[in-house]
Amino acid sequence: MSQFKVAVVVGSLRKDSFNHKLALALAKLAPADFEFEHVRIDDLPLYNQDDDAHPAESVKRLKASVKSAKALLFVTPEYNRSFPGVLKNAIDHASRPYGQSVWGGKPAGVIGVSIGAIGTALAQQHLRNVLAYLDVPTLGQPEAFVQAKEGLFGPDGSIANEDSQKFLQAWVDRYVAWVRKLAV
């Protein structure tokens, strides 16, 4: 059994999502005592405060997955210089009703990949602002703004580019140390 269960929230629903691929590749770089559980967000209703008293089963599942994790990993694309609405919707559901957030205190990593030259820099910053309000300590350094280029991922889903692999291994190593230091 793993010592550190990480709830992975990927902000893309696209079938061939670069960010989903990145999340899977990062898990391969982590030590054996880390377990990465992908949290499903594609079936959540739009957040409506009127539903707080009687949340949908998908919302209950989301909250239970996050609550049972010791750490968080957000892997997000960048849409219009921010993170996607589907990710914000999931964050809102798991933070409500007020005073019953399941996010608070869990150490998190924020990363993403995009075809753009600046990767997901602005999406990550916006996401960090939201997470700060929710009392989610995020790994500050190193930042990782990954550009999706030909050859980034190998046929088995691992990081194929040697320089990218070294960079992302260093990021994962820092993330692991961050989680070990802060996870309760």
Side-chain angles (χ1 to χ4, degrees):
M1 185 170 149
S2 69
Q3 185 177 354
F4 297 98
K5 179 180 169 190
V6 178
V8 180
V9 186
V10 178
S12 174
L13 303 181
R14 191 169 66 87
K15 180 182 173 185
D16 198 30
S17 164
F18 293 131
N19 286 279
H20 181 73
K21 288 180 182 180
L22 179 61
L24 294 172
L26 292 173
K28 292 178 181 182
L29 300 175
D33 60 339
F34 273 67
E35 174 190 356
F36 293 80
E37 178 186 286
H38 287 248
V39 176
R40 185 173 177 197
I41 64 171
D42 66 324
D43 62 344
L44 298 172
L46 291 177
Y47 176 73
N48 180 341
Q49 190 175 6
D50 292 340
D51 299 330
D52 280 355
H54 304 286
E57 289 303 313
S58 57
V59 173
K60 292 177 185 176
R61 183 195 65 231
L62 166 68
K63 291 184 85 167
S65 293
V66 172
K67 190 173 188 173
S68 69
K70 288 191 174 190
L72 308 166
L73 177 61
F74 292 91
V75 188
T76 184
E78 183 166 303
Y79 296 170
N80 300 314
R81 299 292 190 238
S82 190
F83 61 97
V86 68
L87 179 53
K88 181 65 164 75
N89 188 52
I91 291 169
D92 290 346
H93 271 297
S95 69
R96 303 301 301 224
Y98 184 80
Q100 297 178 31
S101 176
V102 295
W103 301 112
K106 296 182 186 291
V110 177
I111 194 168
V113 58
S114 171
I115 59 171
I118 62 169
T120 59
L122 295 173
Q124 288 185 43
Q125 188 56 52
H126 285 178
L127 180 54
R128 288 173 191 279
N129 289 343
V130 171
L131 295 175
Y133 173 76
L134 294 173
D135 191 31
V136 176
T138 58
L139 175 67
Q141 294 295 325
E143 293 178 309
F145 310 128
V146 183
Q147 185 178 18
K149 291 184 177 182
E150 185 69 34
L152 177 62
F153 300 104
D156 66 348
S158 63
I159 303 298
N161 176 287
E162 186 177 340
D163 290 338
S164 295
Q165 194 278 335
K166 287 179 183 175
F167 174 76
L168 290 171
Q169 183 64 65
W171 188 90
V172 168
D173 292 346
R174 286 290 301 274
Y175 171 72
V176 164
W178 176 254
V179 169
R180 288 186 198 284
K181 178 179 176 183
L182 296 179
V184 182

